[in-house]
Amino acid sequence: MWPDIIKKSKEGGLNVIQTYVFWNGHEPQYGKFNYEGRYDLVKFIKLVQKQGMYVTLRLGPFIQAEWNHGGLPYWLREVANITFRTDNKPFKDHMKRFATMIVKKMKDEKLFASQGGPIILAQIENEYNNVARAFEGGARYIKWAGNMAVGLDTGVPWVMCKQNDPPGEVINACNGRNCGDTFQGPDDRTKPSLWTENWTAQYRVFGDPPSQRSAEDIAYSVARFFSKNGTLVNYYMYHGGTNFGRTGAAFVMTRYYDEAPLDEYGLPKEPKWGHLRDLHYALKLCSKALLKGSPSVQSFGSGFEARLYEIPEDNVCVAFLTNTNARRDGTVKFRGTEYFLPRRSISILPDCKTVVYNNQMVNSQHNARTFNPAKEDSKNNKWQMYVEQPPSVRDTSIKAKGPQELVNMTKDTTDYLWYATSFNLEKDDLSMRHDIRPVLQVSHLGHAMHAFVNGKYIGSGHGTKIEKSFVFQKPMDLQAGTNDVAILGMTVGLPDSGAYLEHRLSGVHTVVVQGLNAGSLDLSQNVWGHKVAMEGERKAIYDEKKVDSFKWEDPKSDSPITWYKRYFDAPNGKDPVAVDLKSMGKGQVWVNGESIGRYWVSYLSPLGKPSQSIYHVPRSFLKSKDNLMVVFEERGGKPEDILIMTVKRDNICSFVSESNPPQVRSWAIKNSQIQSVVNDLKPDATLTCTGDKVIRSIVFASFGNPSGVCGNFTVGSCHARQAKSVVEQACLGKASCVLPVSAATYGADAGCEGTTATLAVQAKCARASQKD
C-alpha cells in the first residue's frame, strides 16, 4: 500500500514523510535482526525519495507511538541491572549500539541529505520531559543522548520532541494541537521552530467513543504556526493505518488515527485531505516572503491581528489576517480594505491584498464512507471450529507456588497465559442453601481474563487503559472432591509510556473462593501450573499449510476459546476490503496467515457501542479465490454472521458559498508576484470521483440556504427547485465536474430572506461499467 499512500500524500501538498524506527520490530531477539517486508526501512525511505519527498527519521529508539512497549524490545527487560531511559550504563550501551547500527544502515545507502539522500532531520529520544522528574539521572541521560546522536555524524540536524533543555545543537520541538500558541519556541534563536506532531484527531483505545477534529481547526493551527515563524509542521497522523498483529500498545485499538486526512484504508477523508491540500498551496504562494521576509505584527485589538512578512525592495508582502476569538466573527480594515474574518480563522493574503484562503471557508469536496457487503461473501460461507480445552494443573509443565507474573512468562510472544490449579472440598464445605453459591474472586493486575471452573466457562473481566488492574467476581458450581480452576490471563499490548516500563506487571495476583461453609479459601499460595499461549498459536493453526492438521468440526455459536475457519473469495474491483466482526466478542483474526490484529467488540464505549467492529484486510493479503480466514474467539460469538465488506468513499459532496474565496489554484506566483490564472475569479464547486469511477447519480442538490453534512443534507427556505436538474446536466457520466456558485445558475432568488447563497450537492460515484 505504501507507494499509493505516499503518492496521495504528495498530491495532498506534503513534501516530507516522518517515520519512526521500531527497535522491537527490527531486533525482536537480541542480535537477530529483521529488515524484511513491512520492516524494510531502507525500501520505505527510497519509496519516499522516489516521489521527490524528504524524510524525518525518528529513531528513538524509545518512540511511544501507541506502539507495543514504546518500541523497546522485550529482551531489554532481561538485561541485568537495567533501567530504561536514564543514566544507566546497560541501557545506554544498548541504545547507542542500536542507534549506531541504524545510522550506519542509512549512511551505507547514502540516505542522509548530507549524502544527497532524502533524510533532512533525525530524532533521538521522545517526549522525555514527560518522565524526566522520575529519574535522578534524567538530566545527565538527556545530555548524553543528544551528544551521542550528534557524534554519529549524520550531517543533518537532530531534534528532541517536547524537550525544554536539549543539549547543544539539538533542536527542541513541539507536539500538540495548537503549537502556534502553546510553543514557547526553540531554546536558542538560531534554531528553527519545529512542530513534530500536529494531532489530526485522537488515537483511541478499546472502550473509547469516536474522536473528531475538524479540517477547519487543523488548518487554523497550521496557518497560525507558519504565521508565527514556524519552519515545519508534521501531521500526526496524516495516515494512521492499522496495528496489525500484536503491534498496538496497551488497550490501543487496531484501527489507528482513522480520522486522519488519509483514513485507515488509505482513502482521502474529505474535506480534511482537500482543505489541507489547499492550505499547503496557499502557503507555497507565500514561500519567498516566509523564507526571506522581515516579520512584523499589526494588532487590531480584541483578538484580531495581522502578521506580515515583507521584502520591500522586491515589492513582496504576505499577510496572515487572524481572528483568534473562538466565538466572535469580525471585520478588520487592513491597508484601506475591509476583510471579514469568521471566528477562529486566518485569511492568507500572498500579496497583502488578495485573500486566497481562509481556514473556515471550505472549497474542497466532502465525502462519506460506506461499508458494503461483498457479493462474493455469500459463496462458501461454511465455517468449522476447533475448541481449545482449558488445561488442568496436571497438564502443565511450568509449576510454581502462586500465580506467576504474566509478561515475564510470555516474553511478549503471545497475549495469553493459562493459570491452572486445583483444590479439594468435602461435601460439608458446600452450602445446602439454594440461594448461596460459591464465588471465584480474582485480583488481576491487567489487562483481561477468562475463568473456567471444572471445564465450564464462568465469565470474563478486564481493566481499562486508565486503570489496568481489576477484580473479577463470578458465581460458580463446585463439587465434593477435586475442583479445577483455569484462568486465561492476557495482555492487550504492552504499555508504551511513563517511567520504569521494565517494572510493569500484569496477570493474576490473588485468587480466593468465597461462600464456602468454612469461610473463604485462599488459592493464592497453591501450586499453580502455567501454560504459555494457545495451542492453536503454538502450532500455527492459521497457517494454510498447517490448518488441516487440526481436528475441525461443525461450528456452534457462543463457544469460548474457540478457533473458527472458513474460505472466501476476494471481492471484485479495487475498493479496500474489511471484515465486519460485530457478531463476535474478543480475539484475533488471520487471513492467509497474516494477522489483521486484535478485535474487542464486546468492550462497549460509554455510548453503548463497540469502539471498533470493522477491521481492515489489505488487498495485498488476498488471493482472488479461496482465502483462509481463521478467527480465535475468546468469549463466544456467532461466526456465521461475520461479513466480508468493501470500503468506499463514493458519496461525494460539495458545500460552497458565494462568500468563499475562489479556488486557491486560481492564483500562481510569477516573477515574485501573485497573478490570477483563470478568467473568472469566483468560487466554484468541484466534484471528482476517484479511480475509474464516474458520477452515476445526483442524490441531493440545493442552492440557497441548505444545511447538514455530506450524506445528510436538507433544503432550506430559499431552495432553488431547478438546482438538481442543472447539476445533473453538468455532472452525470463524468469523472469530474465544476459547478458555478451563483444564484443565477440555479434560478435562485438572490434576495430571499435568510439565503446564504450556498450550493450543496451530494453525488454518487460508481464504475463506468457498473450497474445500479
Side-chain angles (χ1 to χ4, degrees), residues 268-279 357 364-365 665:
K269 178 178 172 58
E270 300 279 26
K272 193 172 283 189
W273 182 85
H275 194 45
L276 294 175
R277 175 202 57 196
D278 291 349
L279 170 62
Y357 182 91
S364 61
Q365 76 177 19
R665 281 168 180 74

Side-chain angles (χ1 to χ4, degrees), residues 81-83 86-95:
N81 303 314
I82 197 166
T83 303
T86 188
D87 188 22
N88 172 268
K89 188 177 186 304
F91 181 75
K92 291 192 299 182
D93 287 348
H94 283 287
M95 176 176 168

Side-chain angles (χ1 to χ4, degrees), residues 391-399 418-420 528-531:
S392 71
V393 66
R394 299 171 292 279
D395 300 325
T396 61
S397 58
I398 306 172
K399 295 181 174 64
W418 280 108
Y419 297 86
W528 285 81
H530 303 80
K531 193 173 184 179

